[in-house]
Amino acid sequence: MTWQGRTVFALLYSTVFVSLVASQGTNLGGGITTRIAVGEYADLSLDLRDIRAFVDANNMNSALGMYLQGSHAEFVAGQRTPLKITTDAVSSAERTTPWYLFHLYGLASLSTDPMELEQHKSYAGNYIQKVFTTNLEVAESAILALGLWMYATHLLFDGVAICEMRTRADNPALFNLAGGGMDEFIALWIGSDQTVATANGHGLYAWAHTIGERFGTASPEAVVNVRLKALYQEGSGTLTVSRACTSANQNSVALLHTTAVQMTNLMVIPLYQWLIYSLIEQDAAAVKLYATALIPQLSKCRPSTFKRLKSSLLNDSINFDKTNATIRDLQSSYYCFDITCEDIGIFNGDNRLQCIRKDEDRRIAGFLPSKSTEPLHRMDLDVKQLKMLTAVQGTLFAQLLYSHGSNVPKARHSENDPFTYHSLSELATTTARQDADPIFSDYTSYHGDKDYAHKYITSVLSGLSKWTTPQQNGEAVGLTSAYHILFVTAVGRMNAAIKSCHGAAADPNATVGETYQWDEAAMLIIGSMEGPILGGSPDLGDGEFTYGLANRHAFQFNTRNDLGYSKVISDIENLLFAGKGELDAGDCDNFERTANKLQKILFVPVIQSSIASASESHSLSPSSTSLSLTRGEIFSMSVIPIIHTEDPLIAELLMRLAKPSKTQLVCRV
Ligand SMILES: *[C@@H]1O[C@H](CO)[C@@H](O)[C@H](O)[C@H]1NC(C)=O
Ligand SMILES: *[C@@H]1O[C@H](CO)[C@@H](O)[C@H](O)[C@H]1NC(C)=O
Ligand SMILES: *[C@@H]1O[C@H](CO)[C@@H](O)[C@H](O)[C@H]1NC(C)=O
């Protein structure tokens, strides 16, 4: 046996040993007993109980003292660990975790500048300490929503990170997996002294139950608590498997990451409920608190909605006249956490909380995909989040997102199929990319590798990048995902639709009108973040895909219509609708013409971007920190291979390009 073999054996032995002594786990009631002892996490809730008693007695000093010094939890034997740990552990962590990073990004108004992010680092601790003197009545809620809540997300993702590092390591025993984040999480969530399916307790479980009852989502146990407990069992199962999180069992990371993403998404349910409740009750102090806990997370979703909510809710003066519009904006963001209007429920029969029609949920810009499609338009959230995590150097979590996905659940054909997400890395390497020929072959032969996009992103994420700043790295992986990975997927879906249309015409038994491939192409062209909101007009800066790109560059090329939107957009929309109609009618020849035309038009915004970035960056040095430099290169890499092939489409492309201000740049491209 090699030395490494012995280590693995020793580790295996210790894992077995740990599972033999599982009776030493912590019994949290309600059917939950953890694998390892994590009572100290549960005991933090007893400090909360005492704080509530001090607040009820209007004894601010004792309440604050309990928060700062603690009484019941001992993370190290003989030393009290106060609730303050919940904010300190997150902000000074060795590895800052994704929900916290997105919070800072939101508080910094979508800036990834390290100086700006740094300013918000202690937002939670500062807020909590301040409310003890300004709004003592919300102190306990502030500790729950800002302190324990974020710490809970941190524990889950830190567990995934340790699992990932162990899996890669030659000697996994160097990394202490402890409860893998799962045991720690569930103990923190439920707390000590919790009676199942009631609000009798002091932790996040009771907090979620209280508001769940008001929204009709706790009968008898709050839905969020039921689902978190079930997911805890799944995560715990992943960690119990022999050699979990070692190179001998590499699947643990993907499973654990997927479970952590699902759990943290569910955790926003009580935050939305408390925020909506406080809005309806016009409780300004509570609105401010819950908005501070929730709204910065919306920085990972549609930017215009985030900005509107931030300016109306994270504002010194809250205007309750705007509550109806605010609720609509909040509802439009549920999908970003894969939760629904039913999950949130209805408070006090308020008809503003009635679910919008399911169809509206799926509509993307003006286009309504068929029911059989997977929500691929949400891949733009993966792109956006990957870009951001890379730009703030949350590299390990960027890698996990890239490899395992986070936003687009795969269709499951039976309850027994495991829950997984579509990932960019899977779409970057699947053989289905060949459906995008001839374009895919043009790319492959130009770059000399059919997995070139995957390899490029992997190398940037592992620190091998020629770019000067993390922001440039973010731009590079984001644009490569959108315009090299997903663009090719979209073209592939169109070609597959052509093929199956012709195939269906030849097969008398086939059902006409199967349009899902075409719909999926549309979803990958438009994305989930486009379209009008509240009956108004679309925002120009929201999207990550071709559709948004067309809008952003149209003004530079004088190709806008009277409303300020790109003319290319109307061409794209018209062709998408035409194609759908032709497919429905089984008119395959015309459908093929439409699809080919659309493929050509899609290159217009890409070429425009390539020219615009070149024009902005032609005098910059290669070590410049400008994002134009990165944009210019990534876009050119998706245009040049096509032009190289002397395809006749170049004529059409150049014809459609309005003259840019710097004409000579056309020749460069
Ligand atoms: C606060 O609200 C006012 C009025 O709606 C708005 O003009 C202002 O920009 C908001 N402040 C912030 C910081 O968003
Ligand atoms: C908001 O919605 C409620 C309930 O639908 C309605 O009664 C009220 O008039 C609306 N307020 C405004 C300002 O539109
Ligand atoms: C169509 O269905 C019939 C009856 O199920 C079957 O016998 C026939 O082979 C099918 N034709 C094709 C082309 O699949």
Side-chain angles (χ1 to χ4, degrees), residues 307 310-312 314-317 319 322:
K307 287 179 195 155
K310 181 167 188 277
S311 116
S312 55
L314 292 182
N315 200 317
D316 289 335
S317 60
N319 178 356
K322 290 201 275 179

Short mmCIF file of all heavy atoms in Angstrom, two decimals, residues 307 310-312 314-317 319 322, ligand 1:
data_model
loop_
_atom_site.label_atom_id
_atom_site.label_comp_id
_atom_site.label_asym_id
_atom_site.label_seq_id
_atom_site.Cartn_x
_atom_site.Cartn_y
_atom_site.Cartn_z
N LYS A 307 -32.25 47.97 -9.21
CA LYS A 307 -31.99 49.40 -8.98
C LYS A 307 -33.24 50.11 -8.49
O LYS A 307 -33.18 50.95 -7.59
CB LYS A 307 -31.48 50.07 -10.25
CG LYS A 307 -30.05 49.68 -10.58
CD LYS A 307 -29.60 50.35 -11.87
CE LYS A 307 -28.32 49.71 -12.41
NZ LYS A 307 -28.19 49.90 -13.86
N LYS A 310 -33.91 49.05 -4.91
CA LYS A 310 -32.91 49.63 -4.00
C LYS A 310 -33.25 51.09 -3.74
O LYS A 310 -33.21 51.54 -2.60
CB LYS A 310 -31.51 49.50 -4.59
CG LYS A 310 -30.42 50.06 -3.70
CD LYS A 310 -29.04 49.63 -4.16
CE LYS A 310 -27.97 50.04 -3.16
NZ LYS A 310 -27.52 51.42 -3.31
N SER A 311 -33.60 51.81 -4.80
CA SER A 311 -33.86 53.23 -4.57
C SER A 311 -35.16 53.44 -3.81
O SER A 311 -35.29 54.39 -3.04
CB SER A 311 -33.78 54.00 -5.89
OG SER A 311 -35.01 54.56 -6.20
N SER A 312 -36.14 52.53 -3.93
CA SER A 312 -37.36 52.78 -3.16
C SER A 312 -37.31 52.19 -1.75
O SER A 312 -37.95 52.73 -0.86
CB SER A 312 -38.60 52.30 -3.91
OG SER A 312 -38.49 50.96 -4.25
N LEU A 314 -34.23 50.86 0.04
CA LEU A 314 -33.04 51.13 0.86
C LEU A 314 -32.80 52.63 0.88
O LEU A 314 -31.72 53.12 0.59
CB LEU A 314 -31.82 50.40 0.29
CG LEU A 314 -31.86 48.88 0.40
CD1 LEU A 314 -30.60 48.25 -0.16
CD2 LEU A 314 -32.05 48.46 1.84
N ASN A 315 -33.86 53.34 1.18
CA ASN A 315 -33.84 54.78 1.10
C ASN A 315 -34.19 55.33 2.48
O ASN A 315 -34.90 54.69 3.24
CB ASN A 315 -34.91 55.20 0.08
CG ASN A 315 -34.68 56.59 -0.45
OD1 ASN A 315 -34.35 57.49 0.30
ND2 ASN A 315 -34.86 56.76 -1.74
N ASP A 316 -33.67 56.49 2.79
CA ASP A 316 -33.96 57.05 4.11
C ASP A 316 -35.45 57.31 4.29
O ASP A 316 -35.99 57.18 5.38
CB ASP A 316 -33.15 58.33 4.34
CG ASP A 316 -31.68 57.98 4.52
OD1 ASP A 316 -31.41 56.83 4.94
OD2 ASP A 316 -30.82 58.82 4.22
N SER A 317 -36.10 57.69 3.18
CA SER A 317 -37.54 57.91 3.30
C SER A 317 -38.27 56.87 2.46
O SER A 317 -38.06 56.79 1.25
CB SER A 317 -37.89 59.31 2.81
OG SER A 317 -37.51 59.44 1.46
N ASN A 319 -41.54 55.50 0.75
CA ASN A 319 -42.81 56.06 0.28
C ASN A 319 -43.82 54.92 0.11
O ASN A 319 -43.74 54.16 -0.86
CB ASN A 319 -42.54 56.79 -1.03
CG ASN A 319 -43.80 57.35 -1.63
OD1 ASN A 319 -44.89 57.12 -1.10
ND2 ASN A 319 -43.65 58.07 -2.72
N LYS A 322 -45.98 53.82 -3.05
CA LYS A 322 -45.46 53.02 -4.16
C LYS A 322 -45.52 51.51 -3.87
O LYS A 322 -44.96 50.71 -4.62
CB LYS A 322 -44.01 53.43 -4.46
CG LYS A 322 -43.90 54.80 -5.09
CD LYS A 322 -42.59 54.97 -5.85
CE LYS A 322 -41.45 55.40 -4.95
NZ LYS A 322 -40.17 55.56 -5.58
C1 LIG B 1 -34.69 57.97 -2.38
O1 LIG B 1 -35.96 58.28 -2.94
C2 LIG B 1 -35.98 59.51 -3.64
C3 LIG B 1 -37.42 59.77 -4.04
O2 LIG B 1 -38.02 58.65 -4.60
C4 LIG B 1 -35.05 59.39 -4.84
O3 LIG B 1 -35.04 60.59 -5.58
C5 LIG B 1 -33.64 59.09 -4.35
O4 LIG B 1 -32.78 58.88 -5.44
C6 LIG B 1 -33.64 57.86 -3.47
N1 LIG B 1 -32.34 57.72 -2.85
C7 LIG B 1 -31.55 56.68 -3.09
C8 LIG B 1 -30.28 56.63 -2.28
O5 LIG B 1 -31.79 55.82 -3.90
#
